[in-house]
Amino acid sequence: MTDTLVFHSGLDPFDVWRDALAPHLDGHVRIEEAHAVTDPETVRFALVWMPPAGFFARFPNLELVINLGAGVDRLVARDDLPDVPITRLSDPQMGRMMAGFVLFAVLRHARDIPHFEAAQARSEWAYKHPRAASETTVAVLGLGELGALAATEIARQGYDTHGWATRPKDLAGVTVHCGDDALGALLAKADIVVCMLPLTPETRERLDAAAFAAMKPGAAFINVSRGAVVDEAALVEALRSGHLSGATLDVFTSEPLAPDHPLWTLPGVLITPHLASVALPDSAAPQIAANIRAVQTGGALINEVSRSRGY
Ligand code: NDP
């Protein structure tokens, strides 16, 4: 009996993922969209992004859930998740895309682009003398698969780059700080704070009014991870009061961001609709296939998610 991989995503095209995966699975695994599965008993693998409630109950023989992305917060929070291993994507192209976006956002603030955009809207030649990269301190909160690559890219540009995580790590050009006690001092010295933390019970609203107050006056804030890591009302207040000079925001507590949300119109704020990075079929397919083979042959999984940590 051929095993089946069931696919569900409201964002990603099934045909493209099927065609990218098929050559790596050598015909040993059938790939089907959830609505087209005729024999749910054969489904051993699920490749999913935000499947609907009750999705997993249809497949009693699931052995692996593959999250079609890096962030697993919505998946691990479900109460219908079967007790099987979960893996996430750790796709090199997704990492490059995220590092590129974060670098753009850091440069936007480091090179005072919001100041020039505002001046241009007034047809005003508003010279502001540039600073050397080494004079700008950037703090990257979260040094995981995506965060570590972004931090090393920022460091490569010559910025004084710091990172924050739970555990120490060795990253070229990045000074790493660990644990809750280290956060306040780091926020106080950063000109630009980049949030790349996963959303977990520990990180939910971790960037609250106290955290924004701890940031340097005039600092800029970038969020590319999850909106709920931030107390959005506190962020609005920090921007409105001028304590923060601006922000580049790709993620929000509620998406799409409501048309009347104050963040749309605050000065120095750039809003993008949750697209800093996406999973790319051709570069993600080999690792998905490797994990399917690992289940079939009893081998070790890669990119497995810790349910207890939540990332
Ligand atoms: P990882 O899960 O690989 O790494 C998470 C990092 O955060 C680790 O360095 C971890 O520390 C650190 N961390 C977790 N909890 C804490 C805590 N309580 N205190 C301090 N540090 C903590 O994440 P990725 O780098 O792969 O991705 C980050 C997030 O980016 C994803 O969770 C997802 O939400 C988001 N994302 C957004 C996209 C977009 O388009 N906007 C696209 C893809 C992902 P340690 O290393 O010590 O474990």
Side-chain angles (χ1 to χ4, degrees), residues 83-119:
D83 188 17
V84 299
I86 303 164
T87 58
R88 52 160 284 181
L89 299 190
S90 172
D91 160 5
Q93 293 298 335
M94 179 166 64
R96 290 241 56 82
M97 191 185 271
M98 178 60 95
F101 187 94
V102 171
L103 199 52
F104 150 74
V106 166
L107 290 167
R108 173 176 183 261
H109 295 289
R111 295 304 312 268
D112 302 312
I113 300 303
H115 164 83
F116 298 118
E117 283 173 340

PDB file of all heavy atoms in Angstrom, residues 83-119:
ATOM      1  N   ASP A  83      -0.356  13.277  18.425  1.00  0.00           N
ATOM      2  CA  ASP A  83       0.882  13.124  19.188  1.00  0.00           C
ATOM      3  C   ASP A  83       1.959  12.459  18.321  1.00  0.00           C
ATOM      4  O   ASP A  83       2.341  11.315  18.539  1.00  0.00           O
ATOM      5  CB  ASP A  83       0.588  12.289  20.448  1.00  0.00           C
ATOM      6  CG  ASP A  83       1.789  12.270  21.370  1.00  0.00           C
ATOM      7  OD1 ASP A  83       2.676  13.139  21.202  1.00  0.00           O
ATOM      8  OD2 ASP A  83       1.853  11.376  22.226  1.00  0.00           O
ATOM      9  N   VAL A  84       2.392  13.187  17.304  1.00  0.00           N
ATOM     10  CA  VAL A  84       3.441  12.696  16.388  1.00  0.00           C
ATOM     11  C   VAL A  84       4.482  13.804  16.267  1.00  0.00           C
ATOM     12  O   VAL A  84       4.194  14.957  16.598  1.00  0.00           O
ATOM     13  CB  VAL A  84       2.847  12.363  14.993  1.00  0.00           C
ATOM     14  CG1 VAL A  84       1.795  11.268  15.100  1.00  0.00           C
ATOM     15  CG2 VAL A  84       2.286  13.607  14.305  1.00  0.00           C
ATOM     16  N   PRO A  85       5.690  13.473  15.776  1.00  0.00           N
ATOM     17  CA  PRO A  85       6.693  14.539  15.627  1.00  0.00           C
ATOM     18  C   PRO A  85       6.237  15.637  14.662  1.00  0.00           C
ATOM     19  O   PRO A  85       5.482  15.383  13.712  1.00  0.00           O
ATOM     20  CB  PRO A  85       7.905  13.801  15.056  1.00  0.00           C
ATOM     21  CG  PRO A  85       7.703  12.368  15.395  1.00  0.00           C
ATOM     22  CD  PRO A  85       6.218  12.146  15.423  1.00  0.00           C
ATOM     23  N   ILE A  86       6.718  16.848  14.923  1.00  0.00           N
ATOM     24  CA  ILE A  86       6.447  18.002  14.051  1.00  0.00           C
ATOM     25  C   ILE A  86       7.805  18.507  13.566  1.00  0.00           C
ATOM     26  O   ILE A  86       8.729  18.668  14.369  1.00  0.00           O
ATOM     27  CB  ILE A  86       5.771  19.139  14.829  1.00  0.00           C
ATOM     28  CG1 ILE A  86       4.479  18.650  15.472  1.00  0.00           C
ATOM     29  CG2 ILE A  86       5.482  20.335  13.934  1.00  0.00           C
ATOM     30  CD1 ILE A  86       3.989  19.592  16.554  1.00  0.00           C
ATOM     31  N   THR A  87       7.889  18.752  12.276  1.00  0.00           N
ATOM     32  CA  THR A  87       9.100  19.409  11.770  1.00  0.00           C
ATOM     33  C   THR A  87       8.700  20.735  11.133  1.00  0.00           C
ATOM     34  O   THR A  87       7.551  20.941  10.769  1.00  0.00           O
ATOM     35  CB  THR A  87       9.838  18.535  10.723  1.00  0.00           C
ATOM     36  OG1 THR A  87       8.955  18.248   9.646  1.00  0.00           O
ATOM     37  CG2 THR A  87      10.343  17.239  11.355  1.00  0.00           C
ATOM     38  N   ARG A  88       9.658  21.627  11.037  1.00  0.00           N
ATOM     39  CA  ARG A  88       9.453  22.929  10.410  1.00  0.00           C
ATOM     40  C   ARG A  88      10.375  23.019   9.206  1.00  0.00           C
ATOM     41  O   ARG A  88      11.282  22.182   9.054  1.00  0.00           O
ATOM     42  CB  ARG A  88       9.809  24.053  11.381  1.00  0.00           C
ATOM     43  CG  ARG A  88      11.205  23.868  11.967  1.00  0.00           C
ATOM     44  CD  ARG A  88      11.795  25.105  12.523  1.00  0.00           C
ATOM     45  NE  ARG A  88      12.265  26.002  11.466  1.00  0.00           N
ATOM     46  CZ  ARG A  88      12.855  27.160  11.702  1.00  0.00           C
ATOM     47  NH1 ARG A  88      13.052  27.552  12.934  1.00  0.00           N
ATOM     48  NH2 ARG A  88      13.273  27.925  10.721  1.00  0.00           N
ATOM     49  N   LEU A  89      10.186  24.015   8.377  1.00  0.00           N
ATOM     50  CA  LEU A  89      11.122  24.199   7.272  1.00  0.00           C
ATOM     51  C   LEU A  89      12.313  25.021   7.748  1.00  0.00           C
ATOM     52  O   LEU A  89      12.166  25.945   8.547  1.00  0.00           O
ATOM     53  CB  LEU A  89      10.449  24.894   6.087  1.00  0.00           C
ATOM     54  CG  LEU A  89       9.271  24.156   5.460  1.00  0.00           C
ATOM     55  CD1 LEU A  89       8.866  24.815   4.159  1.00  0.00           C
ATOM     56  CD2 LEU A  89       9.583  22.680   5.232  1.00  0.00           C
ATOM     57  N   SER A  90      13.439  24.620   7.281  1.00  0.00           N
ATOM     58  CA  SER A  90      14.657  25.377   7.540  1.00  0.00           C
ATOM     59  C   SER A  90      15.333  25.514   6.188  1.00  0.00           C
ATOM     60  O   SER A  90      16.352  24.912   5.918  1.00  0.00           O
ATOM     61  CB  SER A  90      15.526  24.611   8.532  1.00  0.00           C
ATOM     62  OG  SER A  90      16.758  25.237   8.628  1.00  0.00           O
ATOM     63  N   ASP A  91      14.687  26.283   5.348  1.00  0.00           N
ATOM     64  CA  ASP A  91      15.001  26.315   3.933  1.00  0.00           C
ATOM     65  C   ASP A  91      16.020  27.431   3.674  1.00  0.00           C
ATOM     66  O   ASP A  91      15.796  28.572   4.044  1.00  0.00           O
ATOM     67  CB  ASP A  91      13.628  26.536   3.258  1.00  0.00           C
ATOM     68  CG  ASP A  91      13.672  27.076   1.870  1.00  0.00           C
ATOM     69  OD1 ASP A  91      14.759  27.226   1.321  1.00  0.00           O
ATOM     70  OD2 ASP A  91      12.590  27.351   1.339  1.00  0.00           O
ATOM     71  N   PRO A  92      17.156  27.092   3.043  1.00  0.00           N
ATOM     72  CA  PRO A  92      18.198  28.115   2.851  1.00  0.00           C
ATOM     73  C   PRO A  92      17.712  29.334   2.084  1.00  0.00           C
ATOM     74  O   PRO A  92      18.112  30.465   2.378  1.00  0.00           O
ATOM     75  CB  PRO A  92      19.301  27.383   2.068  1.00  0.00           C
ATOM     76  CG  PRO A  92      18.793  26.023   1.758  1.00  0.00           C
ATOM     77  CD  PRO A  92      17.547  25.770   2.541  1.00  0.00           C
ATOM     78  N   GLN A  93      16.840  29.114   1.096  1.00  0.00           N
ATOM     79  CA  GLN A  93      16.343  30.271   0.314  1.00  0.00           C
ATOM     80  C   GLN A  93      15.421  31.145   1.168  1.00  0.00           C
ATOM     81  O   GLN A  93      15.405  32.363   1.037  1.00  0.00           O
ATOM     82  CB  GLN A  93      15.589  29.797  -0.929  1.00  0.00           C
ATOM     83  CG  GLN A  93      16.463  29.111  -1.949  1.00  0.00           C
ATOM     84  CD  GLN A  93      17.540  30.030  -2.514  1.00  0.00           C
ATOM     85  OE1 GLN A  93      17.403  31.251  -2.524  1.00  0.00           O
ATOM     86  NE2 GLN A  93      18.629  29.440  -2.960  1.00  0.00           N
ATOM     87  N   MET A  94      14.649  30.496   2.048  1.00  0.00           N
ATOM     88  CA  MET A  94      13.782  31.266   2.935  1.00  0.00           C
ATOM     89  C   MET A  94      14.649  32.115   3.872  1.00  0.00           C
ATOM     90  O   MET A  94      14.325  33.276   4.165  1.00  0.00           O
ATOM     91  CB  MET A  94      12.891  30.308   3.741  1.00  0.00           C
ATOM     92  CG  MET A  94      11.969  30.995   4.697  1.00  0.00           C
ATOM     93  SD  MET A  94      10.675  29.904   5.325  1.00  0.00           S
ATOM     94  CE  MET A  94      11.603  28.710   6.215  1.00  0.00           C
ATOM     95  N   GLY A  95      15.747  31.536   4.331  1.00  0.00           N
ATOM     96  CA  GLY A  95      16.675  32.264   5.204  1.00  0.00           C
ATOM     97  C   GLY A  95      17.275  33.470   4.504  1.00  0.00           C
ATOM     98  O   GLY A  95      17.356  34.567   5.068  1.00  0.00           O
ATOM     99  N   ARG A  96      17.652  33.282   3.234  1.00  0.00           N
ATOM    100  CA  ARG A  96      18.246  34.390   2.470  1.00  0.00           C
ATOM    101  C   ARG A  96      17.210  35.495   2.253  1.00  0.00           C
ATOM    102  O   ARG A  96      17.502  36.679   2.339  1.00  0.00           O
ATOM    103  CB  ARG A  96      18.743  33.905   1.101  1.00  0.00           C
ATOM    104  CG  ARG A  96      19.939  33.004   1.146  1.00  0.00           C
ATOM    105  CD  ARG A  96      21.135  33.592   0.412  1.00  0.00           C
ATOM    106  NE  ARG A  96      21.504  34.909   0.924  1.00  0.00           N
ATOM    107  CZ  ARG A  96      22.245  35.139   2.003  1.00  0.00           C
ATOM    108  NH1 ARG A  96      22.724  34.132   2.689  1.00  0.00           N
ATOM    109  NH2 ARG A  96      22.533  36.361   2.394  1.00  0.00           N
ATOM    110  N   MET A  97      15.981  35.064   1.954  1.00  0.00           N
ATOM    111  CA  MET A  97      14.933  36.061   1.697  1.00  0.00           C
ATOM    112  C   MET A  97      14.680  36.885   2.960  1.00  0.00           C
ATOM    113  O   MET A  97      14.547  38.109   2.906  1.00  0.00           O
ATOM    114  CB  MET A  97      13.651  35.355   1.243  1.00  0.00           C
ATOM    115  CG  MET A  97      12.609  36.293   0.710  1.00  0.00           C
ATOM    116  SD  MET A  97      11.050  35.474   0.320  1.00  0.00           S
ATOM    117  CE  MET A  97      11.309  34.986  -1.353  1.00  0.00           C
ATOM    118  N   MET A  98      14.631  36.211   4.111  1.00  0.00           N
ATOM    119  CA  MET A  98      14.405  36.922   5.370  1.00  0.00           C
ATOM    120  C   MET A  98      15.593  37.840   5.683  1.00  0.00           C
ATOM    121  O   MET A  98      15.403  39.005   6.075  1.00  0.00           O
ATOM    122  CB  MET A  98      14.198  35.912   6.509  1.00  0.00           C
ATOM    123  CG  MET A  98      14.004  36.554   7.855  1.00  0.00           C
ATOM    124  SD  MET A  98      12.574  37.650   7.917  1.00  0.00           S
ATOM    125  CE  MET A  98      11.329  36.548   8.568  1.00  0.00           C
ATOM    126  N   ALA A  99      16.813  37.333   5.510  1.00  0.00           N
ATOM    127  CA  ALA A  99      17.989  38.159   5.824  1.00  0.00           C
ATOM    128  C   ALA A  99      17.983  39.417   4.947  1.00  0.00           C
ATOM    129  O   ALA A  99      18.312  40.513   5.410  1.00  0.00           O
ATOM    130  CB  ALA A  99      19.266  37.355   5.626  1.00  0.00           C
ATOM    131  N   GLY A 100      17.590  39.257   3.687  1.00  0.00           N
ATOM    132  CA  GLY A 100      17.524  40.403   2.769  1.00  0.00           C
ATOM    133  C   GLY A 100      16.505  41.429   3.245  1.00  0.00           C
ATOM    134  O   GLY A 100      16.764  42.640   3.232  1.00  0.00           O
ATOM    135  N   PHE A 101      15.347  40.941   3.687  1.00  0.00           N
ATOM    136  CA  PHE A 101      14.310  41.876   4.143  1.00  0.00           C
ATOM    137  C   PHE A 101      14.778  42.621   5.397  1.00  0.00           C
ATOM    138  O   PHE A 101      14.592  43.834   5.526  1.00  0.00           O
ATOM    139  CB  PHE A 101      12.997  41.127   4.423  1.00  0.00           C
ATOM    140  CG  PHE A 101      11.860  42.050   4.737  1.00  0.00           C
ATOM    141  CD1 PHE A 101      10.998  42.483   3.749  1.00  0.00           C
ATOM    142  CD2 PHE A 101      11.663  42.526   6.030  1.00  0.00           C
ATOM    143  CE1 PHE A 101       9.961  43.368   4.027  1.00  0.00           C
ATOM    144  CE2 PHE A 101      10.638  43.405   6.324  1.00  0.00           C
ATOM    145  CZ  PHE A 101       9.782  43.830   5.321  1.00  0.00           C
ATOM    146  N   VAL A 102      15.367  41.874   6.319  1.00  0.00           N
ATOM    147  CA  VAL A 102      15.806  42.499   7.578  1.00  0.00           C
ATOM    148  C   VAL A 102      16.912  43.520   7.299  1.00  0.00           C
ATOM    149  O   VAL A 102      16.923  44.617   7.874  1.00  0.00           O
ATOM    150  CB  VAL A 102      16.267  41.418   8.592  1.00  0.00           C
ATOM    151  CG1 VAL A 102      16.936  42.059   9.806  1.00  0.00           C
ATOM    152  CG2 VAL A 102      15.076  40.563   9.021  1.00  0.00           C
ATOM    153  N   LEU A 103      17.804  43.161   6.392  1.00  0.00           N
ATOM    154  CA  LEU A 103      18.873  44.101   6.046  1.00  0.00           C
ATOM    155  C   LEU A 103      18.286  45.384   5.454  1.00  0.00           C
ATOM    156  O   LEU A 103      18.693  46.498   5.808  1.00  0.00           O
ATOM    157  CB  LEU A 103      19.811  43.427   5.044  1.00  0.00           C
ATOM    158  CG  LEU A 103      21.197  44.018   4.891  1.00  0.00           C
ATOM    159  CD1 LEU A 103      21.894  44.169   6.232  1.00  0.00           C
ATOM    160  CD2 LEU A 103      22.016  43.134   3.961  1.00  0.00           C
ATOM    161  N   PHE A 104      17.304  45.229   4.565  1.00  0.00           N
ATOM    162  CA  PHE A 104      16.617  46.392   3.998  1.00  0.00           C
ATOM    163  C   PHE A 104      16.038  47.263   5.124  1.00  0.00           C
ATOM    164  O   PHE A 104      16.182  48.489   5.132  1.00  0.00           O
ATOM    165  CB  PHE A 104      15.495  45.934   3.051  1.00  0.00           C
ATOM    166  CG  PHE A 104      14.335  46.894   2.999  1.00  0.00           C
ATOM    167  CD1 PHE A 104      14.443  48.096   2.320  1.00  0.00           C
ATOM    168  CD2 PHE A 104      13.158  46.612   3.684  1.00  0.00           C
ATOM    169  CE1 PHE A 104      13.381  48.994   2.306  1.00  0.00           C
ATOM    170  CE2 PHE A 104      12.107  47.507   3.677  1.00  0.00           C
ATOM    171  CZ  PHE A 104      12.216  48.710   2.985  1.00  0.00           C
ATOM    172  N   ALA A 105      15.375  46.615   6.088  1.00  0.00           N
ATOM    173  CA  ALA A 105      14.713  47.371   7.166  1.00  0.00           C
ATOM    174  C   ALA A 105      15.750  48.078   8.039  1.00  0.00           C
ATOM    175  O   ALA A 105      15.567  49.233   8.447  1.00  0.00           O
ATOM    176  CB  ALA A 105      13.842  46.429   7.998  1.00  0.00           C
ATOM    177  N   VAL A 106      16.855  47.386   8.335  1.00  0.00           N
ATOM    178  CA  VAL A 106      17.921  47.998   9.153  1.00  0.00           C
ATOM    179  C   VAL A 106      18.502  49.206   8.405  1.00  0.00           C
ATOM    180  O   VAL A 106      18.674  50.294   8.976  1.00  0.00           O
ATOM    181  CB  VAL A 106      19.019  46.962   9.498  1.00  0.00           C
ATOM    182  CG1 VAL A 106      20.270  47.648  10.044  1.00  0.00           C
ATOM    183  CG2 VAL A 106      18.471  45.944  10.498  1.00  0.00           C
ATOM    184  N   LEU A 107      18.776  49.027   7.113  1.00  0.00           N
ATOM    185  CA  LEU A 107      19.344  50.133   6.328  1.00  0.00           C
ATOM    186  C   LEU A 107      18.358  51.295   6.229  1.00  0.00           C
ATOM    187  O   LEU A 107      18.742  52.463   6.254  1.00  0.00           O
ATOM    188  CB  LEU A 107      19.722  49.640   4.923  1.00  0.00           C
ATOM    189  CG  LEU A 107      20.914  48.686   4.890  1.00  0.00           C
ATOM    190  CD1 LEU A 107      21.028  48.011   3.530  1.00  0.00           C
ATOM    191  CD2 LEU A 107      22.203  49.425   5.210  1.00  0.00           C
ATOM    192  N   ARG A 108      17.083  50.962   6.130  1.00  0.00           N
ATOM    193  CA  ARG A 108      16.044  52.011   6.059  1.00  0.00           C
ATOM    194  C   ARG A 108      16.175  52.952   7.245  1.00  0.00           C
ATOM    195  O   ARG A 108      16.147  54.180   7.084  1.00  0.00           O
ATOM    196  CB  ARG A 108      14.663  51.341   6.024  1.00  0.00           C
ATOM    197  CG  ARG A 108      13.511  52.320   6.121  1.00  0.00           C
ATOM    198  CD  ARG A 108      12.135  51.642   5.986  1.00  0.00           C
ATOM    199  NE  ARG A 108      11.122  52.673   6.017  1.00  0.00           N
ATOM    200  CZ  ARG A 108      10.400  53.012   7.088  1.00  0.00           C
ATOM    201  NH1 ARG A 108      10.531  52.322   8.212  1.00  0.00           N
ATOM    202  NH2 ARG A 108       9.545  53.997   7.039  1.00  0.00           N
ATOM    203  N   HIS A 109      16.325  52.375   8.426  1.00  0.00           N
ATOM    204  CA  HIS A 109      16.425  53.229   9.616  1.00  0.00           C
ATOM    205  C   HIS A 109      17.837  53.801   9.775  1.00  0.00           C
ATOM    206  O   HIS A 109      17.998  54.974  10.102  1.00  0.00           O
ATOM    207  CB  HIS A 109      15.994  52.442  10.855  1.00  0.00           C
ATOM    208  CG  HIS A 109      14.539  52.072  10.805  1.00  0.00           C
ATOM    209  ND1 HIS A 109      13.532  53.002  10.943  1.00  0.00           N
ATOM    210  CD2 HIS A 109      13.925  50.886  10.577  1.00  0.00           C
ATOM    211  CE1 HIS A 109      12.354  52.399  10.815  1.00  0.00           C
ATOM    212  NE2 HIS A 109      12.566  51.116  10.595  1.00  0.00           N
ATOM    213  N   ALA A 110      18.857  52.955   9.547  1.00  0.00           N
ATOM    214  CA  ALA A 110      20.235  53.422   9.761  1.00  0.00           C
ATOM    215  C   ALA A 110      20.582  54.572   8.815  1.00  0.00           C
ATOM    216  O   ALA A 110      21.373  55.448   9.160  1.00  0.00           O
ATOM    217  CB  ALA A 110      21.213  52.261   9.564  1.00  0.00           C
ATOM    218  N   ARG A 111      19.975  54.570   7.605  1.00  0.00           N
ATOM    219  CA  ARG A 111      20.274  55.623   6.620  1.00  0.00           C
ATOM    220  C   ARG A 111      19.191  56.714   6.584  1.00  0.00           C
ATOM    221  O   ARG A 111      19.095  57.484   5.649  1.00  0.00           O
ATOM    222  CB  ARG A 111      20.485  55.006   5.222  1.00  0.00           C
ATOM    223  CG  ARG A 111      21.694  54.099   5.112  1.00  0.00           C
ATOM    224  CD  ARG A 111      23.002  54.788   5.529  1.00  0.00           C
ATOM    225  NE  ARG A 111      23.179  56.090   4.911  1.00  0.00           N
ATOM    226  CZ  ARG A 111      23.831  56.299   3.760  1.00  0.00           C
ATOM    227  NH1 ARG A 111      24.391  55.285   3.155  1.00  0.00           N
ATOM    228  NH2 ARG A 111      23.943  57.509   3.263  1.00  0.00           N
ATOM    229  N   ASP A 112      18.352  56.737   7.648  1.00  0.00           N
ATOM    230  CA  ASP A 112      17.380  57.835   7.836  1.00  0.00           C
ATOM    231  C   ASP A 112      16.391  57.977   6.675  1.00  0.00           C
ATOM    232  O   ASP A 112      15.937  59.091   6.364  1.00  0.00           O
ATOM    233  CB  ASP A 112      18.113  59.184   8.033  1.00  0.00           C
ATOM    234  CG  ASP A 112      19.049  59.145   9.228  1.00  0.00           C
ATOM    235  OD1 ASP A 112      18.607  58.694  10.298  1.00  0.00           O
ATOM    236  OD2 ASP A 112      20.220  59.533   9.085  1.00  0.00           O
ATOM    237  N   ILE A 113      16.040  56.880   6.041  1.00  0.00           N
ATOM    238  CA  ILE A 113      15.139  56.955   4.881  1.00  0.00           C
ATOM    239  C   ILE A 113      13.764  57.543   5.254  1.00  0.00           C
ATOM    240  O   ILE A 113      13.225  58.358   4.484  1.00  0.00           O
ATOM    241  CB  ILE A 113      15.011  55.566   4.199  1.00  0.00           C
ATOM    242  CG1 ILE A 113      16.394  55.086   3.710  1.00  0.00           C
ATOM    243  CG2 ILE A 113      14.005  55.590   3.051  1.00  0.00           C
ATOM    244  CD1 ILE A 113      17.118  56.021   2.758  1.00  0.00           C
ATOM    245  N   PRO A 114      13.167  57.199   6.410  1.00  0.00           N
ATOM    246  CA  PRO A 114      11.886  57.838   6.735  1.00  0.00           C
ATOM    247  C   PRO A 114      11.987  59.369   6.775  1.00  0.00           C
ATOM    248  O   PRO A 114      11.073  60.070   6.344  1.00  0.00           O
ATOM    249  CB  PRO A 114      11.545  57.275   8.123  1.00  0.00           C
ATOM    250  CG  PRO A 114      12.247  55.948   8.167  1.00  0.00           C
ATOM    251  CD  PRO A 114      13.529  56.169   7.407  1.00  0.00           C
ATOM    252  N   HIS A 115      13.127  59.891   7.263  1.00  0.00           N
ATOM    253  CA  HIS A 115      13.343  61.348   7.301  1.00  0.00           C
ATOM    254  C   HIS A 115      13.298  61.912   5.880  1.00  0.00           C
ATOM    255  O   HIS A 115      12.664  62.936   5.627  1.00  0.00           O
ATOM    256  CB  HIS A 115      14.702  61.624   7.972  1.00  0.00           C
ATOM    257  CG  HIS A 115      15.226  63.009   7.759  1.00  0.00           C
ATOM    258  ND1 HIS A 115      14.820  64.071   8.546  1.00  0.00           N
ATOM    259  CD2 HIS A 115      16.101  63.502   6.841  1.00  0.00           C
ATOM    260  CE1 HIS A 115      15.441  65.174   8.119  1.00  0.00           C
ATOM    261  NE2 HIS A 115      16.214  64.843   7.094  1.00  0.00           N
ATOM    262  N   PHE A 116      13.977  61.223   4.925  1.00  0.00           N
ATOM    263  CA  PHE A 116      14.025  61.738   3.550  1.00  0.00           C
ATOM    264  C   PHE A 116      12.681  61.586   2.849  1.00  0.00           C
ATOM    265  O   PHE A 116      12.297  62.429   2.042  1.00  0.00           O
ATOM    266  CB  PHE A 116      15.149  61.036   2.764  1.00  0.00           C
ATOM    267  CG  PHE A 116      16.503  61.303   3.372  1.00  0.00           C
ATOM    268  CD1 PHE A 116      17.278  60.268   3.883  1.00  0.00           C
ATOM    269  CD2 PHE A 116      16.988  62.602   3.465  1.00  0.00           C
ATOM    270  CE1 PHE A 116      18.506  60.524   4.473  1.00  0.00           C
ATOM    271  CE2 PHE A 116      18.223  62.870   4.058  1.00  0.00           C
ATOM    272  CZ  PHE A 116      18.987  61.826   4.570  1.00  0.00           C
ATOM    273  N   GLU A 117      11.966  60.506   3.161  1.00  0.00           N
ATOM    274  CA  GLU A 117      10.639  60.338   2.544  1.00  0.00           C
ATOM    275  C   GLU A 117       9.684  61.441   3.015  1.00  0.00           C
ATOM    276  O   GLU A 117       8.919  61.996   2.214  1.00  0.00           O
ATOM    277  CB  GLU A 117      10.075  58.951   2.863  1.00  0.00           C
ATOM    278  CG  GLU A 117      10.723  57.868   2.015  1.00  0.00           C
ATOM    279  CD  GLU A 117      10.330  56.463   2.412  1.00  0.00           C
ATOM    280  OE1 GLU A 117       9.854  56.261   3.551  1.00  0.00           O
ATOM    281  OE2 GLU A 117      10.519  55.558   1.584  1.00  0.00           O
ATOM    282  N   ALA A 118       9.771  61.748   4.306  1.00  0.00           N
ATOM    283  CA  ALA A 118       8.901  62.811   4.830  1.00  0.00           C
ATOM    284  C   ALA A 118       9.282  64.159   4.209  1.00  0.00           C
ATOM    285  O   ALA A 118       8.415  64.956   3.829  1.00  0.00           O
ATOM    286  CB  ALA A 118       9.016  62.869   6.350  1.00  0.00           C
ATOM    287  N   ALA A 119      10.609  64.384   4.060  1.00  0.00           N
ATOM    288  CA  ALA A 119      11.066  65.645   3.466  1.00  0.00           C
ATOM    289  C   ALA A 119      10.633  65.731   2.003  1.00  0.00           C
ATOM    290  O   ALA A 119      10.212  66.787   1.527  1.00  0.00           O
ATOM    291  CB  ALA A 119      12.583  65.748   3.580  1.00  0.00           C
TER     292      ALA A 119
END
